[in-house]
Amino acid sequence: MHLNSDRADLPGKLVRIVGRRNLLTDEAHMRPYTQGYRYPGGGASAVALPGTLVELWRCLQAVVEAKGIVIMQAANTGLTGGSTPHVAGYDGRPVVIIGTRRLSGIHLLEGGRQIVALPGATLYDLEELLKPLGREPHSVIGSSCIGASVIGGICNSSGGALLRRGPAYTEYALYARLREDGQLCLVNDLGLELGDDAEEMLGRLESGRFDDGPPAGNIRAASDTDYDRRVRKIDDPSPARYNADPGRLHGASGSAGRIAIFAVRLDTFRKDDRNRTFYIATNDAAVFTSLRRAALGTFSHLPVSAEYLSRETILMSERYGRDSFFAIKYLGTRRLPRLFALKRALDRAARWIGIGSDAPSDRLLQRLGNLLPSPLSPPLRRYRDRYEHHLVIRVADDGIGEMRAYLEGVERDGDTTGWRECTDAEAERAFLLRFVAAGAAIRHASLEDGGVGRLVALDVALPRNCADWVEQLPDDISSQLVARATYAHFFCHVFHRDYLVRPGCDVEILKQRLLDRLAEQGAEYPAEHNVGHHYVARPELASFYRTLDPCNSFNPGIGKTSRKAGWA
C-alpha cells in the first residue's frame, strides 16, 4: 500500500522539486528525451529537468522511494540507445528520465591543468573555457560538434579521435548509487573535501566552495595516461581500446548510466604550438598499413589524429551530410543543439497536423543541402574520384617533419597513391566531412522511401596487429546491402561500419553474422559508443554493471541484460 502511494505521488514529488515547467509528462514533449539519435526508444512516466545538484539528488531520492527506474541523460547524442528507455519496456516500475543539461558548470583546478565538470557541461563549453589558457580537453573534434557532454564521454568510455589521449577515463568522480539494501548513497571520489552531509556537499561543489589544490588522499588517474604506450604495440593480437576493457572500468568510467554522476575530475592538455594536416589517398590498402606501422612503431612523436574514409563514405557524406557540414562550418558548434531542437520541433508539428512524410525536416534540409557546393576542394575531389581509400592525418610540432620525411618516400599523385600537405582551409573541410559521416548514413536511410529497410551501425576495434582491415563480405551478405560506409580512427584501429540493408532482410540475423565474422578476427565491439540496447555486454562488463547497481534500478537492460528489479 505504501509503495503504491509513493508511486502515485511520484509526479507530485518531482513537480515540487523541479517546478511544473521542468517536469514533462506529455508523450510528445518527452519524445526528444525518450527517442535516441540513431536508436528508437521506449516510454517513460516523466522527464525531470533539475536546475541544481541538490534538485538532482532530491529527484533521485523520490524515484528510489517509489521503487522506480532512473535513466540519466545529458545531450542524448549517443548512437546505441544507451541513455533512452528500452523499446520493449520494463517490469511495471515507473521510468523517470532525468535530464542534466541545465547543470552545466565547470570548475578550473590548478590553473586549468585539471577541471571538475558537472553533469550538463559539454565538450564545447570546456574547449571554450580552456582556450585562453592554451589548453584543451580530452576531445576537441567529432562528438564536440554535436554538443556531447563531458560526463557522457566518461560514462561510455568514448574514444575520441585524438590518438595521444586515448579513451575518456578518470578515477575521480562524485556519484550516487544504490546499495544492495536499496538505500541511496553519495560517493565522493573527487579528491575534494566537501563535508559529510549530501546536500551540503552538492551545494559546495556547485558553487565552487572547495580547495582547488592537488587531490586529497591517494593519487589516482584523471586520464588514460598509458594509452600512448598501448597503441604503439603494433604486433599485439588484441585491440588498443574497447568499451569492455576491464582495465578501464572504474567507478564513473564505463558506468553507462548505472550510477548518477554529479561531477568528474579530468586532466586537460597543453595545446600544440603548430599543426599540419596531410591528406593521403590510395588504391592499395597496404600503403596505409605500412604508414600506420611506421608512425606507431618508429616515429618519436605520435600524430594528433588519423581519420580514414572509404570513397563510398565520402560520396555519401557529400550527398547526405552537406547541410550539416556547412552548418558546423558557418554557424559553429554552439548553435547545433538548438538546431537539433528546432528540427525535432518541426517533425513534432508535422506529426501533430498529420502532414508530410516520416522525416519532414530531413527532407527539407536535404533539399537545401542539394543547393550547396561540394565541401571538398578541387584537389581533394580529384583524389576522391581516383582513389578508393582516404586518410586525413594531423601532426603537431616536431612530428610534422617526421611525417613529411616519411611521405617524401611515398608515391605522389601516381596511379596507386597520392598525397598532399593541406592548406588550413582544406584541412578544416576534410575533418568536417569525416565528422558528418555518421549523420549522413542516417539521413540516407531515412530518405530512401522503401529502398532501405534498416541501418545497421557497428562500432568495432580491430586487433593492433591486424593487416586485413578492409572488409571483404561474401556475396550472400553484400547482396543484402544497398550501400555501406566505413570510417575510422585508423591508427587506433577503431572502425565505424554503417550498413544500409535492403527491405525484407532479417536485420538481426545479418547483424549477428557480421559480428561473428568480427569475433573470428579477434575484434572487440563496441569500441567506444557504449553497448546501449544494441550490443550484448561481455560478462566482465555485465558484472561491473551489477556491482555498481545491485538493485538494477539505474538504466536497466543495457547490454541486453535483465530489465527486471534485482536482476531477476
Side-chain angles (χ1 to χ4, degrees):
M1 189 70 178
H2 176 66
L3 175 58
N4 290 336
S5 175
D6 282 338
R7 288 185 175 177
D9 192 39
L10 179 57
K13 287 183 178 180
L14 294 172
V15 164
R16 289 191 289 274
I17 295 168
V18 301
R20 191 166 302 280
R21 183 178 181 182
N22 295 307
L23 185 74
L24 311 178
T25 54
D26 177 75
E27 183 180 346
H29 291 134
M30 290 194 295
R31 189 170 289 115
Y33 301 89
T34 58
Q35 302 296 308
Y37 179 63
R38 179 187 273 169
Y39 206 81
S45 303
V47 175
L49 306 172
T52 68
L53 294 183
V54 170
E55 286 185 3
L56 171 54
W57 172 252
R58 291 173 180 173
C59 286
L60 292 171
Q61 288 179 310
V63 180
V64 168
E65 287 172 3
K67 303 296 183 186
I69 288 171
V70 173
I71 298 179
M72 299 294 296
Q73 185 182 103
N76 195 16
T77 57
L79 301 180
T80 60
S83 60
T84 51
H86 196 287
V87 68
Y90 299 91
D91 53 1
R93 291 177 288 170
V95 177
V96 176
I97 298 171
I98 300 181
T100 62
R101 291 299 296 270
R102 299 174 66 205
L103 308 173
S104 57
I106 301 173
H107 300 298
L108 296 175
L109 303 181
E110 301 181 62
R113 290 189 292 275
Q114 287 189 333
I115 60 96
V116 169
L118 302 189
T122 68
L123 286 166
Y124 179 86
D125 295 335
L126 181 54
E127 186 178 356
E128 291 298 301
L129 182 66
L130 293 175
K131 272 183 182 178
L133 306 177
R135 301 191 71 81
E136 294 178 333
H138 165 266
S139 180
V140 296
I141 47 181
S143 54
S144 58
C145 289
I146 55 174
S149 69
V150 176
I151 285 182
I154 293 294
C155 287
N156 298 331
S157 302
S158 298
L162 300 188
L163 180 62
R164 298 172 295 179
R165 300 177 192 174
Y169 181 75
T170 187
E171 295 170 4
Y172 293 101
L174 178 70
Y175 58 90
R177 65 183 296 266
L178 277 180
R179 300 194 303 250
E180 288 189 14
D181 61 3
Q183 295 300 305
L184 190 69
C185 63
L186 194 61
V187 179
N188 182 9
D189 282 338
L190 272 180
L192 298 173
E193 294 297 337
L194 298 171
D196 298 315
D197 177 75
E199 294 197 1
E200 178 189 352
M201 292 168 67
L202 296 173
R204 290 184 62 185
L205 174 63
E206 189 159 16
S207 63
R209 290 182 287 116
F210 50 78
D211 179 11
D212 71 347
N218 295 330
I219 300 300
R220 302 186 294 275
S223 61
D224 188 349
T225 57
D226 191 45
Y227 186 70
D228 57 348
R229 183 187 63 83
R230 292 202 314 279
V231 77
R232 283 183 179 274
K233 292 186 174 182
I234 53 178
D235 294 315
D236 198 296
S238 64
R241 58 177 169 93
Y242 58 99
N243 191 270
D245 181 356
R248 295 300 173 271
L249 301 175
H250 187 286
S253 296
S255 58
R258 289 296 188 168
I259 53 180
I261 303 173
F262 289 85
V264 294
R265 180 176 187 152
L266 300 170
D267 290 331
T268 68
F269 303 87
R270 185 186 68 83
K271 192 172 183 179
D272 297 318
D273 295 324
R274 295 178 299 126
N275 279 282
R276 296 297 293 172
T277 297
F278 295 88
Y279 193 105
I280 307 101
T282 187
N283 290 317
D284 181 2
V287 171
F288 284 0
T289 300
S290 298
L291 171 56
R292 175 179 173 273
R293 291 183 63 84
L296 297 181
T298 67
F299 284 17
S300 298
H301 306 279
L302 284 176
V304 176
S305 60
E307 294 299 300
Y308 168 83
L309 301 98
S310 69
R311 175 162 52 197
E312 188 172 9
T313 305
I314 293 176
L315 292 170
M316 190 182 298
S317 298
E318 279 191 291
R319 181 174 180 185
Y320 293 103
R322 200 170 293 195
D323 57 298
S324 297
F325 174 96
F326 284 103
I328 295 171
K329 179 173 173 58
Y330 290 112
L331 298 180
T333 56
R334 178 179 289 277
R335 294 181 177 89
L336 282 191
R338 292 182 181 178
L339 292 176
F340 277 119
L342 181 61
K343 181 177 180 293
R344 289 192 296 264
L346 175 61
D347 289 339
R348 188 166 61 245
R351 282 193 297 267
W352 185 73
I353 61 179
I355 64 170
S357 63
D358 291 336
S361 62
D362 279 325
R363 295 185 184 280
L364 174 60
L365 291 171
Q366 185 63 31
R367 291 191 184 100
L368 293 175
N370 291 339
L371 302 176
L372 298 170
S374 170
L376 293 178
S377 66
L380 298 189
R381 289 203 298 273
R382 287 194 291 271
Y383 278 10
R384 173 204 63 196
D385 296 337
R386 192 170 186 178
Y387 303 113
E388 175 62 29
H389 306 289
H390 300 254
L391 193 59
V392 189
I393 301 181
R394 179 170 289 164
V395 288
D397 300 335
D398 293 339
I400 297 173
E402 274 188 309
M403 182 60 68
R404 189 181 285 135
Y406 178 90
L407 290 176
E408 289 293 346
V410 175
E411 180 183 21
R412 187 164 187 167
D413 295 337
D415 292 336
T416 302
T417 302
W419 65 271
R420 63 184 282 109
E421 191 167 336
C422 294
T423 65
D424 290 344
E426 279 182 325
E428 180 192 24
R429 286 172 172 264
F431 277 109
L432 276 182
L433 190 71
R434 156 66 182 89
F435 288 108
V436 301
I442 297 171
R443 172 76 60 78
H444 187 180
S446 68
L447 296 186
E448 292 293 317
D449 296 314
V452 176
R454 282 270 299 277
L455 172 67
V456 174
L458 301 183
D459 161 35
V460 302
L462 299 182
R464 281 165 280 185
N465 66 348
C466 177
D468 299 325
W469 52 270
V470 178
E471 187 177 40
Q472 303 291 341
L473 294 176
D475 290 342
D476 63 327
I477 291 182
S478 60
S479 64
Q480 298 183 64
L481 305 179
V482 175
R484 56 176 162 155
T486 303
Y487 42 102
H489 309 308
F490 185 69
F491 284 2
C492 299
H493 257 196
V494 168
F495 283 77
H496 303 284
R497 293 171 173 171
D498 294 340
Y499 308 86
L500 284 84
V501 183
R502 295 186 183 281
C505 294
D506 190 315
V507 172
E508 291 305 314
I509 290 178
L510 176 65
K511 184 176 83 169
Q512 193 57 53
R513 287 197 61 192
L514 293 167
L515 293 176
D516 289 343
R517 289 170 55 85
L518 288 165
E520 291 171 4
Q521 282 186 276
E524 295 280 356
Y525 44 82
E528 60 180 9
H529 280 166
N530 185 345
V531 289
H533 299 305
H534 192 58
Y535 299 93
V536 175
R538 289 170 58 97
E540 54 267 44
L541 185 60
S543 177
F544 176 62
Y545 292 159
R546 192 161 185 161
T547 299
L548 291 177
D549 181 22
C551 299
N552 206 22
S553 296
F554 283 74
N555 210 10
I558 60 165
K560 302 188 184 295
T561 57
S562 170
R563 300 195 301 277
K564 296 182 178 181
W567 295 84

